[in-house]
Every structure is written in C-alpha cells, then in structure tokens.
Amino acid sequence: MPGEQFGGYVVLRFYVLVPLIIAPISVAFAQSRNLISEIVVRGNSRVTTEAIKASMRTKLGSVFLQANLDKDRQSLLDQGFFETVEIRPTVLAGDNYKITVSVVEFPVIKEIRIVGNKAVPTADILKLVTNKPGEVFNLNLAKPITSAIADLYTKRSFFARVDDYGPMKDSPGTLNISIVEVTVGDIKIQGLTKTKPSVMRRLIRTRSGDPFNIEKWSNDYRRAYNTQWFEDLKPSADDQRELGKVDLKFDVKEGRTGLFNIGVQLDPRSNLAGILSMSETNYKGTGQGLRADFIQSTQGTGPSITLDYTNPFYDAANTAFRASLYSRILFRFQNPFQGSTLNSKNLYNERRTGSTFGFTRPVGDYLSYGVSARAENVITNNVGTTSANQYVQQDGDVGVISLSGTRNRRDVDIDPSRGDYLQIQLEPGYSNINKIGGAVGANPGILGQHAFGRAEIDYRKYYTPDKARGVDLDAPRHVFALRVRAGATTGQVPFFEQFFAGGSDTVRGYPQDRFWGRELLITNLEYRHPVQKGFSLIFFVDYGGAWGGYGTVNSLTQSDRFRLNLGYGPGLSFKTLLGPIRLDLGFNARGGSQTHFLIGNTF
C-alpha cells in the first residue's frame, strides 16, 4: 500500500504539473510566430525613416495586427507630407512578418505661383503662405492657408475663393495658388429723368470688370445719397448670372432740386427783413449748383446779396470747384430771437464785399485736399451809437489763401451716426487797413499792410449703439456726437479775422461771437434722440471760448488768457425742404440763456 500510495502520489503530481509547464511554453511559442521582425521604409528622402517609424503603432517585436497597419497608413497620410502611403506585410519563416512602408513624398517647394489676384497684392498673400520654398509641401497647411486668404479678401471688403492650392502637375516644384475673385458684371441705373448718366458715372466709381468691393459700392451709394438729388435711392446686387460675377443696380427716384423762396425773416436785431432766395443743386442734370440770395433789412443797413456757383466735377479727377460773389452784412454780438442781451452800443456789424473761389480734389473715398482764395473789402458799422469810441473800427482790404486736408469717414454727411471727420486748415493772409477807430480798433500798429496766419483743426466723432444703417441711410438713430475745434493765429491779425466763439455753432447759451481772440478751443457734446423719422430731441453741452486777442469792447468783457465757458441745454432738429433746421435753448454758467436758430446741423 505505501508503495502504491507513493506511486499514486507520483502519478498524481505528474498529471497536475505537466499542464502547468506546457501552457507557458505554448504561449511563448505562439507569440514568437506572429511577431513583427522587420520594418522597411522606402521612398522617403526629406522625412526621416526614424520619424516615420516613430509615428507608427506597429513596432519591431510587436504582434502583427492588420488593424494597426490600416491606422498607421492613415496616420502617415494625415501628416500631410505624403502623396501616397502603402504598407504591405510579408510572411517570413516561422510565421513572422516583415512590414514594408512605401511612401511617395510631396515635392519640395522651389517657388510659389499666385494667379488670379487683382484686388490684393501678391506680397500680402505670400505673407499668409506658411509652406516656404525649400520645404516639402504639406497638404495639412492647405485649408488654413486658403481660409486665411479668403479672410484677407473679406477684411478688405472683397470676395474671393482659392480654386487650386498644390504642386503643379507639369512643374511639381511649383506651389500653385489659383484665386477666383468676384468681379463686377453689369452696372445699371434705372429711373433717371433729369440727372445725366455721365454724372452718375462720376458718383458711382465702381466699374464693370473691377473686383467687387462692398465698401467701395457702399461709398458710391453714400456719395449719391449725399447729393440730396434723389427722393429715393436703392442699390442692389445680383450674383445669380454667372459664378464669380455680380451685377449691380441702382433704382432711383429723382426729387426736386430747385427752390424758390420769398418772404420775411428776423435779422439779428429782431427786426424784419425781406428775403428772396433761388437755388438749384443739379442744374440741367449736370450736378452744378447755382444760388442767389437777396436780403433787405428794414433798419437801413442795406441789402445783402450773394451769388454762389458749384461744380463737383470740374475735371476728370472729380475736382470740385466753388465760387462766390457777395456783398453782405455780418452781425456780431447779437441774437436773432432776443436781440442783444447787451446794450445798444454793442450792436456791431461788418459789410464784407468780395469773392471766394476754391478747388477740392478727392484722394480715394475718404481723403481730399483743397486750396481756396478769399479777397474782401471790410467796412465796419455800429448802429447803436454815433460815438467813434464806442465800437471797433478797422476798415480795409484782406486776402486769404486757405490750404486744407480732410478725412471724411461719416456714414452720411447731412445726418451722421457713425464714423469721424477730420480737417486741418492753414491760412496765410494779408491785410491793408486804411481806417481805424474806437477804443479797441484804434490800434496804430494795425494800419497799413501786414501779413498774418491762421491754423485750425476740426475733429468730429459719431457713435450709435444701434446697428449700421445699411442701405437705409434715412433711418433714424440714437447718436452721440463729439466735436473738438482748436485754432491759433500769428502776426498782425485784424479784429474781424480773429477767432470768434459763442452762438448757435460754437458755444450755445451766449450771444453770437460773444468771445474773440487769437486762440480758440471749443468742445461740443450732443445726444440726438430720434422721436420719429425727420424729428429729433437734442441734449447738448458746450465748453469753449476764444482768448488772447483785442481787449474789452464796451460792456463786452474779454479775457487775455486761457478761459473756457460752459453752455448747455435742450434742442430740436427737424428736416424740411430747406434742409435740417435746429432750434436750441442754451443756458450758460452765468445764469443767462439764449435761443439759437440754425439751418443745418451744428456739426
């Protein structure tokens, strides 16, 4: 029995241990038969073999899985450097595998060729191409580069797509970028009854065959709108005719451009004056403007006569020409609704007889520069007193040349809600004063011939929280408007050539031209709240003045140093056939008030 038991024990142990020993041997034997024993990479020249192997799931010594090879192929293609990738397994002795990776690299870029671009310079497009000469073409960069090119066109208000991006078949070393720009097809203007088509072509500077620029087309629309010749003006674009082409159209309804006015008005001394006015802003459809004004006061100051002529298309470069002949009365220190808030000896006026003419030439859609000349004979008068010491008298001749540069980026000139306006003006002048009088005017140093100069800057900014007007430029908007004006003079400046502040267009709440001087600073802030189309409530704050000039005139105290004055109040604005009309009630820091009337916006 023990012997059998011993034998049984041995037999039992043998049958238990044999499977435990054989199992790991079988697994090891099976694994050694399906292993990757060799990986060969072919066809690469720029991308290293090590880099290719490192990006693969399949490694030396790993178990062969076809699913991993499929993923490796896609992974290599996704790198963007290879035109084709082929991975083939080969069975070796012992059931192991050799993996052969065959790649065809994209060519090395030797040059970049860009075709089809007119609106955007080649140099600007090249800055976006991150695939540089000397590098292998990378397909992965194609989408971000082509998107960046399309975005560049959009930022510059053009439209384009990249039709082809890649190596050329006949010249693999050339990276070809083919761009298809949207261009202008036909331009049609429908509804003209008076305005000549040639004049509309001056206003609409977009041309058939040009790359379509939405900003330029919008500027064409605003330019036509700002003439105020049209009762209705609707632009449209149609891109259905042909791929890459857009047809443009204006539907217009012409309005009345001539105006005849006869009646009475208050002069600045609250006296009645007869008025006769005739104007035409689009004479015979040519865009030329004519205007004649005749005003006769009942107080014996004589008539004011003005003749104006404008031609916005003087030459092929769209230079505007303006000329004026006049003999008119200019009133100082007064208010047309309340008379002077000062005593009668301050009622001072100037008769200016002369002419002006000037040219303004546009540079693109926003910039312009101009030159003009003014020659006048000035005779002063005081209607409140006969005493020669009671008013400013400096009679004589003056001539001024004006040089200006302007940037106008407002959405609408007559009623802006967005954008800004900047004008810088230099005015060298010459005076020949032959008669002086009055406590201030009797300055012997001003007699005779003298040179002087003026410099002025005018900046205006408009903001609305509402959306852009788009094609509805008449749409009312809530508008915050800011203006800053500053000026300085040099040389012997006559009294009437100084800067003046106070009144409807400068500092409200004070009489017209209440402050004068050699230096000027004015700030105006307005909030314009639309009540309905064509009618708005206004709230304004003005802060400014002029200083450093001639001294006090009678009861008009004047500062010889920097001093600004505060005015504020409400107002109304409404549109009429005469244009926008403003009525403002201004209060000042001294407890006074003035009512101001103005045809046109303050700024």
Side-chain angles (χ1 to χ4, degrees), residues 21-89:
I21 295 172
I22 293 176
I25 295 174
S26 300
V27 171
F29 179 75
Q31 288 180 344
S32 66
R33 294 185 58 186
N34 292 308
L35 301 180
I36 308 298
S37 59
E38 185 178 359
I39 299 176
V40 177
V41 179
R42 296 174 179 172
N44 58 311
S45 59
R46 288 278 179 168
V47 183
T48 66
T49 298
E50 290 75 14
I52 293 174
K53 288 182 177 180
S55 64
M56 296 173 58
R57 294 169 178 260
T58 302
K59 306 292 184 183
L60 282 175
S62 63
V63 177
F64 170 77
L65 291 172
Q66 182 61 46
N68 282 343
L69 296 186
D70 295 338
K71 292 177 181 178
D72 289 338
R73 178 179 180 278
Q74 188 59 49
S75 175
L76 290 174
L77 286 173
D78 290 343
Q79 291 181 14
F81 295 110
F82 306 111
E83 188 173 355
T84 62
V85 175
E86 184 179 348
I87 302 179
R88 299 192 312 273

Side-chain angles (χ1 to χ4, degrees), residues 156-172:
R156 298 190 181 183
S157 301
F158 295 100
F159 300 93
R161 72 176 192 279
V162 179
D163 193 51
D164 180 56
Y165 183 95
M168 296 182 67
K169 291 183 178 180
D170 297 334
S171 178

Side-chain angles (χ1 to χ4, degrees), residues 118 313 328 333 435 571:
K118 294 182 180 179
F313 312 116
R328 55 196 177 206
F333 316 140
K435 186 177 181 180

Side-chain angles (χ1 to χ4, degrees), residues 278-351:
M278 295 177 290
S279 65
E280 170 58 66
T281 60
N282 189 13
Y283 179 67
K284 292 186 176 180
T286 63
Q288 298 177 78
L290 303 172
R291 184 181 181 92
D293 292 310
F294 178 89
I295 301 175
Q296 176 63 62
S297 174
T298 60
Q299 295 301 305
T301 56
S304 290
I305 302 172
T306 303
L307 301 174
D308 294 325
Y309 169 76
T310 61
N311 185 348
F313 312 116
Y314 180 77
D315 60 13
N318 293 319
T319 301
F321 172 72
R322 295 175 175 82
S324 181
L325 297 173
Y326 51 85
S327 178
R328 55 196 177 206
I329 298 292
L330 178 63
F331 297 94
R332 303 285 189 190
F333 316 140
Q334 308 163 71
N335 185 280
F337 285 92
Q338 296 166 266
S340 174
T341 57
L342 310 163
N343 57 55
S344 62
K345 64 185 179 182
N346 297 306
L347 301 182
Y348 161 73
N349 60 51
E350 302 160 2
R351 175 168 289 278

Side-chain angles (χ1 to χ4, degrees), residues 110-131:
K110 297 179 181 178
E111 63 173 344
I112 299 175
R113 173 179 180 257
I114 300 175
V115 295
N117 59 308
K118 294 182 180 179
V120 177
T122 297
D124 293 348
I125 297 175
L126 282 173
K127 294 177 183 178
L128 304 176
V129 182
T130 52
N131 247 164

